[in-house]
């Protein structure tokens, strides 16, 4: 790709970062704080009596994807002159222009729609800070763990770097924040956040991979979804292999549990070990996610932590076999077993038998298995649309900002974020993905309407119902019923 001319137009694909998504969610609603990996939204909490910490998390990875890049203009986000920016070879200092902050938008916006039900978990995740609020001492105490500090003051973002996160996770996280601020200019309160990518107490948030994963050649979410959907239409359910498949590093963490299941004859499963060195050398040409939807059943299992692969697997139209997780994405807690996926035991001695039973059940209940696969795919397409990803991020940060007991200020040494600083740079996938996901202008609609918090009894009933369904599947497996 040639270097940009003097002006580029911002384009929209609107996802958001995974600034805090990997999280464990206990079976009861008593534990409110979780551990996460990758770029994480930190709060050191002093509510010792109310906190139930979870397992520490490590990084997880997933196979890469095709190299093709798609440029497009998304509907509903008209081009705005103030969203044009200079990106020239003479701008070596990458400074932000003096008139960077876009003018206020007085246009009448369309009525907002209702947010998906999983937005209700935002209330639950912020519950520990509802009474006492968030203090400067809490935020400052997380500095020792953070990779960077993000401050939003009067609609402009500033960042102070403490350490480098793994790969470009911090860069794409900040890129997502920047696009959000342009999508909803001046609508978020002042904020003060700490982000990191190791082990911390944090709040669930969408991840960096929505804006692409250049190191693994994984396209931004909108482009990849189009490729997967196109592949789904070309692959008839009847013609798909009647087995369960999974691709990755079988020796990494919990994924090692699948190692003994690699037999279509014995376990109805095909487990493919990913040769990362070879894939990197061949630019991941054999790891195109849009070409991995050729089996009727796809397995999702965590590695040492949460994995970004769940959303890609769900989108395949295949029936997802979801190995009971410890960590959760921001959307996962609205998935219903036997509606969106088939639950698989995570016990090392049971997992292969559980996969075998699920495949046999699906092949004996062809229409029902296809229905589950399509329901999971529909949930991904509609529930995790890029619009909803940005709106989830907006509402979480908005609710978070309302808990502050101090006025955030720009910390010494922080630098201003803008498209020139983060959009310009060397050519390559990272640069291409940024161009593809640039926001063209303020949204011509309001953010979706936040649903109310769960009633405690209703929340417990929901958790109990899902647990009951999983127990029913376990009983079917133990009796061999189909």
């Amino acid at each position: 790709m040639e270097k940009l001319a003097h002006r580029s137009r911002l384009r929209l694909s609107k996802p958001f970062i995974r600034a805090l998504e990997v999280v464990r969610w206990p079976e009861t609603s008593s534990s409110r704080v979780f551990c996460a990996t990758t770029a994480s939204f930190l709060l050191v909490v002093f509510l010792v009596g109310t906190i139930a910490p979870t397992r520490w998390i490590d990084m997880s990875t997933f196979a890469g994807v095709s190299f093709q890049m798609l440029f497009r203009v998304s509907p509903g986000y008209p081009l705005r002159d103030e969203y044009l920016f200079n990106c020239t070879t003479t701008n070596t200092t990458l400074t932000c222009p003096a008139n960077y902050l876009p003018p206020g938008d007085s246009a009448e916006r369309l009525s907002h729609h209702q947010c998906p039900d999983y937005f209700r978990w935002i209330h639950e995740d912020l519950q520990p800070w509802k009474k006492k609020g968030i203090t400067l001492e809490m935020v400052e105490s997380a500095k020792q763990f953070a990779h960077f500090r993000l401050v939003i003051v009067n609609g402009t973002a500033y960042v102070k770097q403490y350490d480098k996160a793994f790969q470009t996770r911090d860069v794409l996280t900040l890129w997502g924040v920047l696009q959000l601020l342009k999508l909803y200019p001046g609508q978020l309160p002042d904020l003060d956040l700490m982000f990191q990518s190791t082990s911390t107490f944090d709040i669930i948030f969408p991840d960096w991979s929505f804006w692409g994963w250049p190191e693994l050649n994984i396209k931004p979410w909108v482009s990849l979804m189009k490729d997967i959907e196109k592949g789904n239409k070309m692959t008839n359910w009847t013609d798909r292999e009647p087995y369960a498949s999974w691709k990755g590093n079988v020796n990494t963490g919990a994924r090692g549990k699948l190692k003994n299941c690699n037999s279509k004859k014995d376990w109805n499963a095909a487990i493919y070990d990913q040769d990362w060195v070879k894939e990197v050398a061949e630019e991941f040409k054999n790891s195109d996610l849009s070409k991995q939807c050729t089996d009727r059943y796809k397995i999702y299992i965590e590695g040492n932590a949460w994995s970004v692969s769940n959303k890609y697997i769900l989108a395949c139209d295949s029936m997802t076999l979801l190995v009971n997780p410890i960590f959760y994405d921001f959307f996962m807690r609205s998935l219903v077993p036997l509606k969106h996926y088939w639950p698989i035991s995570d016990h090392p001695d049971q997992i292969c038998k559980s996969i075998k039973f699920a495949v046999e059940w699906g092949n004996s209940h062809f229409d029902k298995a296809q229905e589950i696969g399509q329901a999971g795919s529909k949930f991904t397409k509609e529930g995790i649309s890029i619009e909803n990803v940005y709106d989830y991020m907006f509402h979480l940060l908005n609710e978070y900002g309302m808990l502050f007991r101090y006025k955030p200020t720009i910390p010494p040494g922080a630098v201003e974020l803008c498209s020139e600083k983060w959009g310009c740079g060397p050519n390559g996938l990272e640069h291409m993905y940024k161009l593809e996901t640039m926001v063209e202008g303020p949204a011509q609609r309001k953010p979706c309407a936040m649903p109310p918090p769960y009633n405690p009894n209703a929340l417990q009933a929901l958790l109990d119902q899902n647990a009951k369904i999983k127990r029913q599947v376990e009983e079917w497996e133990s009796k061999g019923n189909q």
Side-chain angles (χ1 to χ4, degrees), residues 57 72 109 127 143 246 249 313 320 339 426 428 443 445 458:
I57 303 180
R72 76 203 164 284
R109 287 190 171 88
Q127 187 62 38
K143 186 186 301 184
W246 181 87
N249 186 345
I313 290 172
T320 297
K339 178 181 179 181
R445 61 170 178 83

Side-chain angles (χ1 to χ4, degrees), residues 293-343:
C293 300
T294 57
D295 301 303
R296 293 179 191 168
Y297 314 94
K298 295 282 293 180
I299 302 169
Y300 171 78
I301 186 169
E302 299 164 333
N304 295 329
W306 146 99
S307 169
V308 303
S309 65
N310 190 28
K311 56 183 178 290
Y312 307 127
I313 290 172
L314 282 168
C316 268
D317 271 1
S318 305
M319 185 171 85
T320 297
L321 308 187
L322 196 153
V323 181
N324 290 333
I326 296 173
F327 312 108
Y328 288 83
D329 255 332
F330 67 101
F331 59 85
M332 282 183 66
R333 291 170 288 183
S334 281
L335 294 175
V336 179
L338 297 192
K339 178 181 179 181
H340 301 110
Y341 69 92
W342 184 280

Side-chain angles (χ1 to χ4, degrees), residues 122-327:
I122 291 175
H123 302 293
E124 297 298 312
D125 293 344
L126 294 175
Q127 187 62 38
W129 301 279
K130 288 290 186 181
K131 291 184 178 179
K132 295 186 178 180
I134 296 169
T135 66
L136 178 60
E137 290 74 22
M138 287 182 182
V139 176
E140 289 281 354
S141 296
K143 186 186 301 184
Q144 58 181 315
F145 308 108
H147 283 107
F148 64 86
R149 184 175 193 165
L150 174 69
V151 179
I152 298 174
V153 176
N154 296 326
T156 300
Y158 303 85
V159 64
K160 182 171 184 178
Q161 196 86 31
Y162 298 121
D163 199 359
K164 184 69 182 74
F166 182 68
Q167 296 181 337
T168 53
R169 297 182 182 188
D170 52 349
V171 174
L172 292 175
T173 292
L174 291 169
W175 182 252
V177 172
L178 199 55
Q179 305 318 300
L180 178 76
L181 295 179
K182 290 189 172 185
L183 192 63
Y184 298 123
Q187 297 182 54
L188 280 174
D190 292 353
L191 303 169
D192 191 356
L193 314 173
M194 295 286 185
F195 287 81
Q196 75 130 1
S197 60
T198 53
S199 305
T200 60
F201 291 120
D202 62 25
I203 303 163
I204 304 180
F205 208 80
D207 71 79
W208 81 95
S209 65
F210 284 99
W211 292 268
W213 193 345
E215 290 84 1
L216 270 64
N217 223 357
I218 295 180
K219 291 181 183 180
W221 179 236
V222 173
S223 293
L224 186 53
M225 278 295 289
K226 288 182 178 180
D227 288 352
I228 291 177
E229 186 175 0
K230 181 179 179 181
N232 287 343
K233 293 179 179 179
M234 297 175 61
T235 308
N236 188 284
W237 172 273
T238 305
D239 297 332
R240 295 190 181 200
E241 290 290 331
Y243 305 109
S245 66
W246 181 87
K247 188 171 186 178
N249 186 345
V250 299
N251 295 312
T252 301
R255 293 173 179 163
K257 296 178 181 179
L258 292 178
K259 197 171 185 178
N260 297 325
C261 304
N262 190 13
S263 171
K264 291 182 179 180
K265 180 178 179 180
D266 297 325
W267 303 116
N268 293 332
I271 310 302
Y272 302 99
D273 194 14
Q274 181 82 300
D275 186 338
W276 290 106
V277 175
K278 180 180 179 181
E279 291 299 321
V280 170
E282 298 180 352
E283 297 181 336
F284 296 94
K285 68 178 183 181
N286 298 313
S287 300
D288 190 330
L289 293 180
S290 66
K291 297 179 181 178
Q292 294 186 25
C293 300
T294 57
D295 301 303
R296 293 179 191 168
Y297 314 94
K298 295 282 293 180
I299 302 169
Y300 171 78
I301 186 169
E302 299 164 333
N304 295 329
W306 146 99
S307 169
V308 303
S309 65
N310 190 28
K311 56 183 178 290
Y312 307 127
I313 290 172
L314 282 168
C316 268
D317 271 1
S318 305
M319 185 171 85
T320 297
L321 308 187
L322 196 153
V323 181
N324 290 333
I326 296 173
F327 312 108

Side-chain angles (χ1 to χ4, degrees), residues 354-482:
S354 189
I355 291 172
K356 177 179 174 63
F357 180 85
V359 172
E360 291 176 346
W361 181 93
N363 289 335
S364 299
H365 299 78
F366 195 84
D367 292 341
K368 181 60 178 176
Q370 185 177 16
E371 182 182 323
I372 294 173
Q374 290 175 343
S377 187
K378 181 179 180 181
F379 178 93
T380 304
K381 182 179 179 181
E382 298 177 0
I384 321 175
S385 67
I386 209 57
E387 289 82 4
N388 284 334
V389 173
Y390 271 123
D391 283 2
Y392 187 94
M393 171 183 162
F394 173 86
H395 283 299
L396 177 54
L397 294 181
N398 187 58
E399 296 289 328
Y400 171 75
M402 291 191 291
L403 298 174
F404 273 66
R405 297 295 181 263
Y406 70 98
K407 181 174 176 55
T409 58
I410 304 170
V415 296
E416 181 182 349
L417 291 182
C418 61
S419 295
E420 281 80 358
K421 185 174 289 296
W422 294 93
C424 300
N427 292 328
L429 279 184
E430 178 187 336
H431 181 59
M432 292 167 67
Y433 291 166
K434 286 179 179 178
L435 285 178
E436 183 180 353
T437 55
M438 285 180 177
V439 174
E440 292 178 348
Q444 297 304 297
R445 61 170 178 83
K446 298 178 182 178
C448 62
M450 267 287 283
Y454 281 108
N455 174 281
N457 292 333
L459 177 58
Q460 191 59 53
L462 175 64
L463 297 173
D464 291 344
Q465 179 62 27
N466 287 347
K468 182 180 179 180
I469 296 173
K470 291 181 180 181
R471 288 195 300 270
Q472 177 64 71
V473 172
E474 291 173 357
E475 290 179 10
W476 290 347
E477 291 178 5
S478 64
K479 295 178 181 179
N481 294 336
Q482 293 189 43

Side-chain angles (χ1 to χ4, degrees), residues 86-118:
N86 292 325
C87 196
T88 66
T89 56
T90 59
N91 188 12
T92 56
T93 59
L94 295 179
T95 57
C96 296
N99 62 343
Y100 169 68
L101 187 63
D105 185 9
S106 60
E108 184 69 23
R109 287 190 171 88
L110 299 176
S111 298
H112 48 58
H113 59 287
Q114 187 73 17
C115 298
D117 198 57
Y118 64 80

Side-chain angles (χ1 to χ4, degrees), residues 12-72:
L12 174 67
S13 263
K14 342 179 282 201
F16 188 63
I17 42 194
R18 122 147 233 105
L20 333 108
E21 56 201 342
V22 262
V23 163
R24 170 178 179 170
W25 184 253
E27 289 297 323
T28 65
S29 58
S30 58
S31 296
R32 307 288 186 179
V33 179
F34 316 94
C35 301
T37 187
T38 72
S40 296
F41 180 163
L42 313 184
L43 272 180
V44 173
V45 183
F46 301 114
L47 309 177
V48 179
T50 66
I51 301 303
T54 59
R55 288 176 50 181
W56 300 121
I57 303 180
D58 198 359
M59 293 182 316
S60 63
T61 56
F62 190 69
V65 135
S66 68
F67 193 84
Q68 181 186 6
M69 152 106 179
L70 297 177
F71 287 97
R72 76 203 164 284

